[in-house]
Amino acid sequence: NVAVIAPFFEEILFRGFVYNQARDRFGIPVAVSLSATLFAFVHFSLGSFLPIYALGVVLALAYEASGNLTSSILIHGIWNGVTAWFVLSVVM
């Protein structure tokens, strides 16, 4: 779930919709920052805001460079999978 479903739907929302709308209105730099900021805010974790914001920047740039959501979905899925594995290995 966390490595497949969440990245799929979040990338459609944040890169496919928010980023595209902002890019069309304000240009690439503002769109990258805006979509990354919203992405970080919806994860509701002040302590991890900056890393999630940085991930949002990487995802937006990957999407911009590739022209499709596949690259950002894959990066997002790998990030979530590695993060989940790390958290579970520390907890267990």
Side-chain angles (χ1 to χ4, degrees):
N1 277 349
V2 71
V4 177
I5 296 171
F8 180 78
F9 287 107
E10 287 182 4
E11 290 309 306
I12 289 172
L13 175 62
F14 290 105
R15 264 48 74 182
F17 181 73
V18 173
Y19 176 79
N20 279 328
Q21 293 296 314
R23 183 186 63 201
D24 292 347
R25 288 194 170 107
F26 308 113
I28 293 171
V30 172
V32 168
S33 184
L34 179 62
S35 65
T37 299
L38 292 174
F39 179 68
F41 271 126
V42 302
H43 285 84
F44 304 114
S45 176
L46 187 58
S48 62
F49 179 86
L50 288 178
I52 295 173
Y53 174 85
L55 174 63
V57 168
V58 168
L59 295 171
L61 294 175
Y63 171 66
E64 181 63 36
S66 69
N68 66 65
L69 290 172
T70 303
S71 59
S72 61
I73 291 169
L74 288 173
I75 294 166
H76 192 158
I78 291 167
W79 173 276
N80 282 9
V82 169
T83 301
W85 172 81
F86 179 75
V87 168
L88 291 173
S89 68
V90 169
V91 171
M92 302 285 185

